[in-house]
Amino acid sequence: PVVTFGNLMSEGIALSRRGQHDKALGCFNDALKLRAGDKHCLITRSKCFLKLGDTENSLKDAEASLQIDKTFSEGLYQKAETLYTMGDFEFALVFYHRGRRLRPDLHKFQLGINKAEEAIVNCIGNPSSVKLESKEELCFVSRQAESKKDKQKQQNKPTKDQKQMKKKSPKTEKQLLGALYADKAFLEKLLKDEDLMQSSTRQGTKVMELVLGGISYLNQRRDFWQQQKPMYARVYERKVLREEQMRDKKEKPSDISKSIAKNMEDIELLLARGSAEESCRKAERLLKRIQAWSENEVPNKYELIGTLHSCIGNAQLAMGQKEAALRSHKMDLDCARQNALTDGVSRALDHIGHVYARTGKFQQAINAWEEKIPLAQSSLEKAWLFHEIGRCYLELGKAELAQDYGQKSLQSADEEGDVEWQLHATVLVAQAQVKLKDYPSAIMTFERALEKAKLVPSEAAQKGIIA
C-alpha cells in the first residue's frame, strides 16, 4: 500500500489515543520524513514525547513549530504545557499569556494561566510576603526595548550573571530564592576555586560552564519573581506590617484594609489579563470610595489615590485613550508632589513620558524623563532612561544629543553589567553616528554591537545589525 503523510498522521494519532505512544512516535517520525517541518505534525509529536516523559524533545518540537510560525497558537500552548511539566512555571506563564493575547477565544490558555500562577504561589508564597525595593516599574518606548522583558526570561546571560552577583542585595536574594539561596551561594563559592573551574567532566563539559549555567538559571528565577511584584504591593506591604503590629496588640485587622488590598489585586490582575475596561471601572469605583474615607480609616490614603490614578492611566492607555491616560498620570504626579511621595513622582514622570512618546510628542517625553533622572535608583534604571531619551532625540533629528545619551546609557549598562542594555545603547550610538554621517565610526560601533548580540544571543538582532 502507498504510505502517505495523512495516513501516517492518522495512524499515529489513533495509536497515541490508545496509549501506544512508542508506536505512535514511529509514525510521526516517518510522517516528518515525508513532509519535513510540518508544524501540526511537530506539535503532535511533541505531545507524544510529553506523554512519554521526554520533556527535552517535547520542548524542541514545540519551539521548532514556532520558528516556522510565531503566531501558531497550538505551538505556544504546547511549549507552555511542556515548560509547566518541567517545573518552569514562570516561563510557562509567559507563553500562556502570549497565547491568550493571540487567541482570547481559547479557554485553555486562561486555565493554563490560572494553574501556572497557582503553582508559582505554591512555590514562593503570596507576593505580599516578599518585600522588595520597587525599582523596576519601567516602561519602554522602542520595540527593541519592549522585547527585552520576554527575552531576558528565556536566554542565558553568563556575562551579566558574573557581574550582577555583586550587585544584588543578599537579603533580597534570600527572600526571593528561599531554599534555593543556599544552592546559589554554594555555586558562587565554587567559582572561586580556579583549579576546579578549569577542569572538565567525563563528557568534556567545562565545570565553569555548568556552574555559570546553574547561577544563570537561579538569577532568571529571581528576576522573574521580582518583576511579578505588582504596583500595589508596596502599599500592601505597609498595610500588612500595620496588621502584624495590630495582631501583636491582639487587635483585629481592619476590614477596610482587607477590602482595599483585594480590590487593588483584582485591578492589577484584570489589566494583566487584557481586561482594561473592567480594570479601569473597578479602579474608578475604588477611587471614589477611598476619597470618601478619612485618613484615620485609611492611613495611606493619598498614596493609594496616586496609585489608583496610575492604574486608571495604564488601563486608559491600553484602551487607546491617550489623552485621558495623560490626564490620569498628571493627577498621579500632582498627588505625589503634594504629599512628598518620591516613588510616586518617579512613577508618574515615567508614565507621562511614555504616553507622550506613544503620541509622537518626543520633546515633552524628553522633558518628563529628564526630570526623572535624579530619582533613578539604579544603574539599570538609568540605562533604559538614557536610552529612551536618546531615542527621542534621534526621532527629533538631534543626532548629537542622541549620541551623547546613547553613551550615557552604555556607561550605566556597563556599571550594571547588563549585556542586553549594552547592546541597545551601542545600536543607538551607531544610528546617531549614521545620522551625523560619521560612517567609519558607525561601522566600528555596529561591529561592537554585533559582538554583544552574539553574547545575548539574539539572531534577530544580529541580522538587523548586519543589514
Side-chain angles (χ1 to χ4, degrees):
V2 177
V3 178
T4 65
F5 175 82
N7 289 342
L8 289 169
M9 282 289 290
S10 299
E11 185 179 353
I13 291 169
L15 289 168
S16 183
R17 285 174 179 169
R18 292 199 294 268
Q20 298 175 0
H21 303 302
D22 287 322
K23 292 181 180 180
L25 192 61
C27 293
F28 298 137
N29 290 337
D30 291 339
L32 284 169
K33 289 177 184 177
L34 295 177
R35 193 179 296 178
D38 183 88
K39 62 183 182 182
H40 297 287
C41 187
L42 284 168
I43 286 302
T44 312
R45 188 172 72 171
S46 175
K47 292 176 182 177
C48 196
F49 276 130
L50 192 58
K51 288 175 182 176
L52 290 168
D54 189 350
T55 53
E56 185 178 348
N57 281 318
S58 176
L59 186 61
K60 284 181 180 178
D61 278 354
E63 289 176 337
S65 72
L66 290 172
Q67 287 178 356
I68 297 165
D69 182 1
K70 292 181 180 179
T71 62
F72 185 37
S73 61
E74 288 300 317
L76 287 169
Y77 182 75
Q78 184 59 22
K79 183 171 182 178
E81 285 286 282
T82 305
L83 288 167
Y84 182 87
T85 305
M86 294 168 72
D88 288 334
F89 306 124
E90 62 280 7
F91 293 151
L93 183 61
V94 170
F95 288 94
Y96 284 131
H97 271 295
R98 286 188 186 177
R100 189 183 180 281
R101 285 197 299 270
L102 188 67
R103 291 292 304 276
D105 56 307
L106 295 179
H107 187 56
K108 62 183 178 181
F109 285 115
Q110 184 59 58
L111 293 176
I113 290 170
N114 294 342
K115 71 179 181 181
E117 287 177 346
E118 184 178 353
I120 291 170
V121 170
N122 289 339
C123 288
I124 66 170
N126 192 285
S128 64
S129 65
V130 182
K131 298 181 181 179
L132 308 171
E133 295 180 8
S134 182
K135 296 183 178 180
E136 297 192 54
E137 294 176 358
L138 312 182
C139 296
F140 305 98
V141 177
S142 64
R143 292 180 182 176
Q144 191 176 32
E146 286 175 343
S147 67
K148 175 184 184 297
K149 288 185 178 179
D150 289 336
K151 291 180 182 177
Q152 69 184 2
K153 299 171 188 174
Q154 303 172 33
Q155 299 166 346
N156 291 330
K157 297 172 279 188
T159 306
K160 174 182 174 182
D161 291 327
Q162 283 179 291
K163 296 181 181 179
Q164 273 198 340
M165 283 188 292
K166 299 178 182 179
K167 300 286 184 181
K168 295 289 181 181
S169 163
K171 183 178 178 181
T172 302
E173 282 203 331
K174 194 169 184 178
Q175 289 174 320
L176 285 166
L177 292 174
L180 294 177
Y181 179 75
D183 298 328
K184 186 170 185 290
F186 176 72
L187 291 174
E188 289 174 345
K189 187 177 179 181
L190 288 182
L191 279 178
K192 298 176 182 178
D193 189 337
E194 295 182 4
D195 294 335
L196 178 63
M197 290 302 99
Q198 297 303 318
S199 61
S200 302
T201 64
R202 292 179 181 177
Q203 290 76 24
T205 307
K206 285 278 187 183
V207 173
M208 179 178 281
E209 293 177 4
L210 294 173
V211 173
L212 289 175
I215 293 173
S216 174
Y217 175 77
L218 292 173
N219 282 346
Q220 287 173 355
R221 292 220 164 193
R222 175 202 65 202
D223 293 342
F224 178 81
W225 291 332
Q226 190 169 5
Q227 288 167 357
Q228 291 311 293
K229 178 183 180 183
M231 292 167 60
Y232 69 87
R234 183 169 63 255
V235 179
Y236 185 64
E237 283 167 6
R238 293 176 186 174
K239 181 196 73 67
V240 170
L241 181 61
R242 285 193 298 274
E243 287 181 352
E244 288 173 356
Q245 293 170 347
M246 291 171 68
R247 278 195 294 270
D248 291 340
K249 298 176 183 178
K250 298 182 180 180
E251 295 180 10
K252 293 183 178 181
S254 168
D255 291 336
I256 292 176
S257 297
K258 281 185 175 182
S259 173
I260 291 173
K262 179 64 171 64
N263 277 287
M264 293 295 282
E265 185 174 357
D266 290 343
I267 289 163
E268 285 291 331
L269 197 57
L270 285 167
L271 184 59
R273 290 177 175 175
S275 303
E277 290 184 23
E278 192 174 348
S279 174
C280 187
R281 283 197 298 270
K282 198 173 187 69
E284 288 171 344
R285 286 197 299 268
L286 181 59
L287 179 60
K288 289 179 181 178
R289 288 172 59 196
I290 290 176
Q291 287 171 335
W293 283 325
S294 68
E295 289 186 60
N296 292 330
E297 293 173 301
V298 186
N300 56 339
K301 174 178 177 177
Y302 295 107
E303 190 171 354
L304 281 168
I305 288 173
T307 304
L308 283 167
H309 281 307
S310 181
C311 291
I312 292 168
N314 290 334
Q316 288 168 333
L317 186 60
M319 292 186 288
Q321 300 171 7
K322 296 174 184 176
E323 291 298 325
L326 188 59
R327 287 194 298 272
S328 295
H329 289 309
K330 284 183 176 179
M331 291 170 75
D332 177 23
L333 181 60
D334 292 339
C335 182
R337 282 175 173 165
Q338 289 168 11
N339 295 280
L341 302 171
T342 307
D343 287 345
V345 172
S346 179
R347 173 190 63 215
L349 289 171
D350 177 8
H351 290 150
I352 288 169
H354 184 56
V355 175
Y356 275 133
R358 286 277 294 271
T359 54
K361 297 177 180 178
F362 298 111
Q363 187 57 57
Q364 289 94 323
I366 290 168
N367 295 340
W369 280 328
E370 285 184 338
E371 189 178 346
K372 177 183 165 68
I373 291 172
L375 304 176
Q377 298 180 11
S378 69
S379 297
L380 183 62
E381 190 172 2
K382 288 178 182 177
W384 73 258
L385 188 56
F386 290 143
H387 176 273
E388 298 307 293
I389 293 171
R391 189 148 294 284
C392 284
Y393 275 125
L394 196 64
E395 292 287 343
L396 291 171
K398 299 179 180 180
E400 289 185 7
L401 287 169
Q403 184 179 15
D404 290 342
Y405 273 99
Q407 295 287 2
K408 289 180 181 179
S409 176
L410 182 58
Q411 183 180 351
S412 296
D414 287 340
E415 290 174 7
E416 186 69 22
D418 192 303
V419 180
E420 289 190 55
W421 275 107
Q422 290 171 0
L423 170 61
H424 296 322
T426 306
V427 170
L428 174 59
V429 171
Q431 290 172 331
Q433 288 169 339
V434 171
K435 293 288 185 182
L436 293 169
K437 299 185 179 180
D438 185 2
Y439 301 122
S441 298
I443 290 172
M444 292 174 63
T445 307
F446 272 126
E447 286 174 349
R448 287 197 295 271
L450 185 60
E451 293 303 314
K452 295 185 185 299
K454 291 176 182 176
L455 290 173
V456 170
S458 170
E459 291 185 9
Q462 290 177 48
K463 289 178 182 178
I465 290 167
I466 291 168

